Amino acid sequence: MNMNQLETLVTISKTMSFRKAGELLNLTQPAVSAQIKSLEDEFKTVLIDRNQPVTLTDSGKLFLEHAERILRVVEDLKQRLSDLNQTPQGHIHLGTTTSIAMQILPRVLSYFQNQFPMIKTSIHSMSSTQIMTSVENGSVDIGIGYLLEKNPHLETSILYYDSFELVVSPDHQLAKRPHTTIESLRDIPFIMLSPDTAGRRFVDQVFRKFRMEPHIVMELSSSEEVKRMVELNLGAAIISKLTVINELRLGTIRMIPVAELEINHPVGVIYKSGRYLSSALQQFLSDLKGMPETNFIGSE
């Protein structure tokens, strides 16, 4: 057994295709098949059902768990050895929401990569719930998201505060109001974020608190999609204030203050308690924590 064989199995589990796995690994399809056959012969079991699309057998699923663990240990060893050079370098996998990635990461990463060009950063877009899970299971190194819940296995540090606000089209019936109440929203058509997002969970809590059932006409996975639908006057929405800064400036969206929504929500960095922090991660976390709040919420 070697590391290349394990990487091949992991790639097949993600692509469900020998051909696609070979393309990603720069291997021919026969080479991919040979590596898997070698593993199966060594461990005297069938790891992959080769019908289309290919799937892992029960043995394959168990093997995959250990293969991923072994690869993480090897990567950790490589990073620790690299850190002996005392030059921050390595590969950081960062998980965050689409809206946070678009709003703050360009400023943060451009500064960071100018200072530390030997550190590579990969961004993985996911919901706030997935960020917590992915940091805990090690599939991403750190996350940046809303800190709406506690997890004893994770460390967090607040970077800035955001709020969720009511937004409408300039042509919406509420657009001329200087402010409104949650009660006035009882029969308003709403465009909502998907239930696994931090913004949606907050909105659901507010409506439950006031014993209201929102009139949902559309559910979308990202704030960018929600904003586009609001601009078309297909409904109102409650989304992150920071995500609509540009639209407010252009006048394509109006923000209507709602007293019951006036709560500040912490956004912060998330990483696993007790895990080894490579020189790259240490430097990235140090820079993030040392940045003033204006670096994150300043207008673009």
Side-chain angles (χ1 to χ4, degrees):
M1 182 182 71
N2 59 52
M3 296 303 107
N4 290 336
Q5 292 171 326
L6 299 185
E7 289 175 353
T8 298
L9 180 68
V10 171
T11 305
I12 290 174
S13 75
K14 294 176 179 177
T15 62
M16 296 303 177
S17 165
F18 280 66
R19 179 183 60 80
K20 291 179 181 177
E23 291 173 355
L24 290 174
L25 297 169
N26 293 318
L27 295 173
T28 64
Q29 187 168 330
V32 171
S33 299
Q35 289 195 0
I36 298 303
K37 184 64 167 59
S38 177
L39 280 178
E40 292 177 327
D41 290 345
E42 181 176 352
F43 289 91
K44 297 179 174 59
T45 188
V46 177
L47 300 174
I48 292 179
D49 181 347
R50 287 161 174 79
N51 292 318
Q52 295 297 326
V54 299
T55 57
L56 297 182
T57 63
D58 289 340
S59 295
K61 292 175 183 177
L62 177 62
F63 199 100
L64 177 66
E65 292 179 16
H66 290 270
E68 290 177 327
R69 195 177 307 156
I70 291 168
L71 289 172
R72 284 198 294 269
V73 170
V74 171
E75 186 61 32
D76 182 54
L77 173 59
K78 289 180 180 178
Q79 189 62 63
R80 288 175 186 249
L81 293 172
S82 173
D83 287 348
L84 293 178
N85 294 331
Q86 297 183 348
T87 300
Q89 57 186 291
H91 193 167
I92 298 173
H93 290 272
L94 190 154
T96 190
T97 67
T98 302
S99 60
I100 291 175
M102 294 183 68
Q103 291 298 315
I104 72 166
L105 287 187
R107 283 192 296 271
V108 172
L109 293 181
S110 63
Y111 161 79
F112 186 74
Q113 291 183 343
N114 283 337
Q115 299 296 313
F116 305 100
M118 295 182 68
I119 298 177
K120 178 182 177 182
T121 307
S122 294
I123 310 300
H124 304 269
S125 179
M126 56 188 70
S127 70
S128 294
T129 301
Q130 290 172 320
I131 291 172
M132 294 286 190
T133 301
S134 298
V135 172
E136 186 171 2
N137 68 25
S139 56
V140 301
D141 299 310
I142 61 175
I144 298 179
Y146 291 93
L147 308 180
L148 302 184
E149 55 192 51
K150 297 287 186 180
N151 184 317
H153 304 294
L154 301 177
E155 299 285 341
T156 61
S157 179
I158 296 172
L159 300 176
Y160 63 95
Y161 289 87
D162 193 7
S163 61
F164 298 108
E165 307 285 351
L166 175 68
V167 295
V168 298
S169 160
D171 299 322
H172 193 275
Q173 65 190 72
L174 297 176
K176 303 302 182 184
R177 295 193 185 185
H179 54 80
T180 191
T181 64
I182 201 75
E183 181 62 33
S184 70
L185 307 180
R186 186 175 293 276
D187 299 316
I188 296 294
F190 266 99
I191 301 164
M192 291 284 194
L193 287 165
S194 54
D196 60 346
T197 60
R200 174 62 181 276
R201 296 210 306 272
F202 168 68
V203 171
D204 287 346
Q205 289 172 2
V206 171
F207 279 111
R208 279 197 303 269
K209 178 180 178 181
F210 291 92
R211 295 182 175 83
M212 292 171 57
E213 188 73 30
H215 175 34
I216 301 174
V217 295
M218 200 180 301
E219 282 188 345
L220 298 168
S221 60
S222 76
S223 296
E224 291 303 307
E225 295 172 321
V226 171
K227 288 190 296 183
R228 301 293 83 83
M229 297 303 106
V230 170
E231 287 176 325
L232 293 173
N233 200 20
L234 298 180
I238 299 174
I239 58 176
S240 157
K241 181 178 180 178
L242 293 182
T243 65
V244 295
I245 289 176
N246 192 49
E247 288 77 10
L248 292 174
R249 184 187 301 117
L250 295 173
T252 60
I253 280 179
R254 299 278 174 83
M255 188 170 71
I256 314 298
V258 180
E260 294 86 350
L261 299 178
E262 291 180 357
I263 300 173
N264 285 328
H265 301 276
V267 177
V269 60
I270 306 156
Y271 54 100
K272 191 170 183 179
S273 302
R275 71 160 286 174
Y276 170 72
L277 297 180
S278 67
S279 63
L281 274 176
Q282 289 179 22
Q283 190 64 57
F284 191 73
L285 287 171
S286 175
D287 280 17
L288 274 178
K289 293 177 182 180
M291 286 184 178
E293 187 171 346
T294 51
N295 280 36
F296 301 105
I297 65 175
S299 59
E300 305 235 2

